[in-house]
PDB file of all heavy atoms in Angstrom:
ATOM      1  N   ILE A 406       1.903  12.567  -3.470  1.00 95.00           N
ATOM      2  CA  ILE A 406       1.144  13.656  -4.095  1.00 95.00           C
ATOM      3  C   ILE A 406       1.939  14.956  -4.067  1.00 95.00           C
ATOM      4  O   ILE A 406       2.012  15.687  -5.060  1.00 95.00           O
ATOM      5  CB  ILE A 406      -0.223  13.836  -3.395  1.00 95.00           C
ATOM      6  CG1 ILE A 406      -1.118  12.618  -3.667  1.00 95.00           C
ATOM      7  CG2 ILE A 406      -0.906  15.116  -3.863  1.00 95.00           C
ATOM      8  CD1 ILE A 406      -2.410  12.615  -2.868  1.00 95.00           C
ATOM      9  N   VAL A 407       2.563  15.233  -2.922  1.00 95.00           N
ATOM     10  CA  VAL A 407       3.360  16.465  -2.791  1.00 95.00           C
ATOM     11  C   VAL A 407       4.498  16.465  -3.805  1.00 95.00           C
ATOM     12  O   VAL A 407       4.771  17.483  -4.458  1.00 95.00           O
ATOM     13  CB  VAL A 407       3.914  16.593  -1.350  1.00 95.00           C
ATOM     14  CG1 VAL A 407       4.939  17.729  -1.268  1.00 95.00           C
ATOM     15  CG2 VAL A 407       2.780  16.850  -0.365  1.00 95.00           C
ATOM     16  N   LEU A 408       5.159  15.312  -3.964  1.00 95.00           N
ATOM     17  CA  LEU A 408       6.273  15.228  -4.918  1.00 95.00           C
ATOM     18  C   LEU A 408       5.821  15.476  -6.352  1.00 95.00           C
ATOM     19  O   LEU A 408       6.589  15.985  -7.173  1.00 95.00           O
ATOM     20  CB  LEU A 408       6.944  13.855  -4.810  1.00 95.00           C
ATOM     21  CG  LEU A 408       7.771  13.613  -3.548  1.00 95.00           C
ATOM     22  CD1 LEU A 408       8.267  12.180  -3.488  1.00 95.00           C
ATOM     23  CD2 LEU A 408       8.954  14.580  -3.476  1.00 95.00           C
ATOM     24  N   LEU A 409       4.566  15.119  -6.658  1.00 94.00           N
ATOM     25  CA  LEU A 409       4.050  15.346  -8.011  1.00 94.00           C
ATOM     26  C   LEU A 409       4.000  16.826  -8.352  1.00 94.00           C
ATOM     27  O   LEU A 409       4.144  17.210  -9.515  1.00 94.00           O
ATOM     28  CB  LEU A 409       2.659  14.729  -8.155  1.00 94.00           C
ATOM     29  CG  LEU A 409       2.589  13.198  -8.188  1.00 94.00           C
ATOM     30  CD1 LEU A 409       1.147  12.734  -8.261  1.00 94.00           C
ATOM     31  CD2 LEU A 409       3.393  12.639  -9.362  1.00 94.00           C
ATOM     32  N   PHE A 410       3.796  17.677  -7.339  1.00 93.00           N
ATOM     33  CA  PHE A 410       3.756  19.125  -7.579  1.00 93.00           C
ATOM     34  C   PHE A 410       5.155  19.672  -7.898  1.00 93.00           C
ATOM     35  O   PHE A 410       5.295  20.808  -8.338  1.00 93.00           O
ATOM     36  CB  PHE A 410       3.147  19.847  -6.385  1.00 93.00           C
ATOM     37  CG  PHE A 410       1.657  19.670  -6.277  1.00 93.00           C
ATOM     38  CD1 PHE A 410       1.113  18.712  -5.433  1.00 93.00           C
ATOM     39  CD2 PHE A 410       0.792  20.439  -7.042  1.00 93.00           C
ATOM     40  CE1 PHE A 410      -0.264  18.534  -5.341  1.00 93.00           C
ATOM     41  CE2 PHE A 410      -0.583  20.273  -6.959  1.00 93.00           C
ATOM     42  CZ  PHE A 410      -1.111  19.312  -6.109  1.00 93.00           C
ATOM     43  N   PHE A 411       6.182  18.833  -7.628  1.00 93.00           N
ATOM     44  CA  PHE A 411       7.552  19.191  -7.995  1.00 93.00           C
ATOM     45  C   PHE A 411       8.006  18.382  -9.216  1.00 93.00           C
ATOM     46  O   PHE A 411       9.203  18.247  -9.484  1.00 93.00           O
ATOM     47  CB  PHE A 411       8.501  18.939  -6.817  1.00 93.00           C
ATOM     48  CG  PHE A 411       8.229  19.820  -5.628  1.00 93.00           C
ATOM     49  CD1 PHE A 411       7.400  19.389  -4.594  1.00 93.00           C
ATOM     50  CD2 PHE A 411       8.777  21.097  -5.551  1.00 93.00           C
ATOM     51  CE1 PHE A 411       7.148  20.200  -3.502  1.00 93.00           C
ATOM     52  CE2 PHE A 411       8.534  21.913  -4.458  1.00 93.00           C
ATOM     53  CZ  PHE A 411       7.706  21.472  -3.425  1.00 93.00           C
ATOM     54  N   ASN A 412       6.993  17.829  -9.942  1.00 91.00           N
ATOM     55  CA  ASN A 412       7.233  17.061 -11.168  1.00 91.00           C
ATOM     56  C   ASN A 412       8.122  15.831 -10.941  1.00 91.00           C
ATOM     57  O   ASN A 412       8.931  15.463 -11.802  1.00 91.00           O
ATOM     58  CB  ASN A 412       7.861  17.955 -12.258  1.00 91.00           C
ATOM     59  CG  ASN A 412       6.885  19.008 -12.740  1.00 91.00           C
ATOM     60  OD1 ASN A 412       5.696  18.743 -12.912  1.00 91.00           O
ATOM     61  ND2 ASN A 412       7.382  20.218 -12.932  1.00 91.00           N
TER      62      ASN A 412
END
Side-chain angles (χ1 to χ4, degrees):
I406 292 172
V407 170
L408 288 174
L409 289 177
F410 286 98
F411 295 94
N412 292 320

